[in-house]
Amino acid sequence: MAARTSRSPRRSEALSRERIIEAAIDLLDTTGETGLTFRALTERLATGPGAIYWHVANKDELLAAATDAIVTAALSREPADPSATPRARIHAVALGLFDAIDEHVWLATQLAVQMSRDPSGALAPRLFEALGRQISALGVPEAAWFTATSALMNYILGAAGQNATNGRSAVHPSRPDFLDSVATAWENLDPEDYPFTRAVADQLRGHDDREQFLDGLELVLSGIVAVHPAG
């Protein structure tokens, strides 16, 4: 009688760490952080908890891995032109992160949590490296690399996170309706106390979040190169 072939290699492949992280991201996207439990994962993956614990020790590790996977994919964006300038490469990184945070509503919070909890871990250095290399390529003096890269990273993550938060908290069924209601409220403010806010209310009404993000990015980059010119 022939010996029975073990099925463990097939199970191991089906329940790889990558597959578990993929399922965790799906759960985070659909149910939020509170919905990410090992019980929900076992149901989604049709397996037992032991198979998951073999690859991931706990929920914190799973959240860190999911965050890392999304960021790695976002940073893999490359400009279509291989001779793209450092500025264009910074745009690609920034838009990759902006779109990732916009698509995965839990990501902004986890980025802040992960970098605060473990600043020496892989996440912060990976973001710093992706942006810092291009800051260097812009000709910014080495003494200003840390400050310039920090300011750039803080803008990208802060603005992208705020955009995602605004999108989630809007009570109107569409973004234009939400912006219109806010702009109208601004226009009705006291003209003596809020002359500037009233003046820009119509710009708020018609703005595109992505274009505004890129305009802000250019302001930051222009400031960096103006304050720290090459050479």
Side-chain angles (χ1 to χ4, degrees):
M1 181 177 179
R4 297 177 62 184
T5 302
S6 172
R7 299 180 61 186
S8 58
R10 293 176 58 189
R11 286 179 55 85
S12 177
E13 181 180 355
L15 296 171
S16 66
R17 180 179 173 87
E18 291 73 21
R19 180 68 188 93
I20 293 169
I21 293 170
E22 180 183 321
I25 291 172
D26 288 341
L27 277 172
L28 286 164
D29 289 343
T30 55
T31 65
E33 187 178 332
T34 57
L36 178 61
T37 64
F38 275 66
R39 179 175 181 178
L41 268 179
T42 59
E43 292 175 355
R44 176 159 296 210
L45 294 169
T47 188
I52 296 175
Y53 281 115
W54 177 262
H55 296 282
V56 184
N58 51 49
K59 183 175 179 177
D60 286 343
E61 183 181 333
L62 190 57
L63 284 167
T67 302
D68 184 75
I70 297 297
V71 169
T72 298
L75 295 182
S76 68
R77 281 194 181 187
E78 291 288 341
D81 183 358
S83 62
T85 64
R87 226 176 175 106
R89 294 184 183 281
I90 289 173
H91 274 233
V93 170
L95 282 176
L97 291 169
F98 180 90
D99 291 341
I101 291 172
D102 188 55
E103 179 181 355
H104 306 282
V105 298
W106 50 272
L107 185 59
T109 299
Q110 278 305 309
L111 281 169
V113 168
Q114 300 300 332
M115 289 195 292
S116 174
R117 178 180 296 163
D118 188 15
S120 61
L123 184 59
R126 184 174 294 133
L127 291 171
F128 229 73
E129 188 70 22
L131 296 171
R133 287 188 184 186
Q134 305 313 319
I135 288 293
S136 171
L138 283 172
V140 174
E142 185 174 352
W145 285 357
F146 176 76
T147 300
T149 305
S150 295
L152 181 60
M153 186 166 74
N154 287 338
Y155 168 75
I156 292 171
L157 297 182
Q162 186 62 56
N163 174 77
T165 299
N166 290 344
R168 292 197 303 274
S169 64
V171 296
H172 295 275
S174 72
R175 184 69 173 158
D177 288 344
F178 172 68
L179 293 176
D180 183 68
S181 69
V182 176
T184 300
W186 283 17
E187 289 169 340
N188 291 327
L189 292 169
D190 188 301
E192 293 187 4
D193 292 337
Y194 301 97
F196 178 83
T197 305
R198 284 167 53 92
V200 300
D202 197 52
Q203 296 177 35
L204 167 68
R205 177 179 284 112
H207 88 276
D208 178 88
D209 293 329
R210 216 161 183 264
E211 291 180 3
Q212 183 190 39
F213 173 76
L214 289 176
D215 287 343
L217 180 64
E218 275 303 304
L219 288 174
V220 174
L221 288 174
S222 296
I224 288 172
V225 299
V227 174
H228 304 291

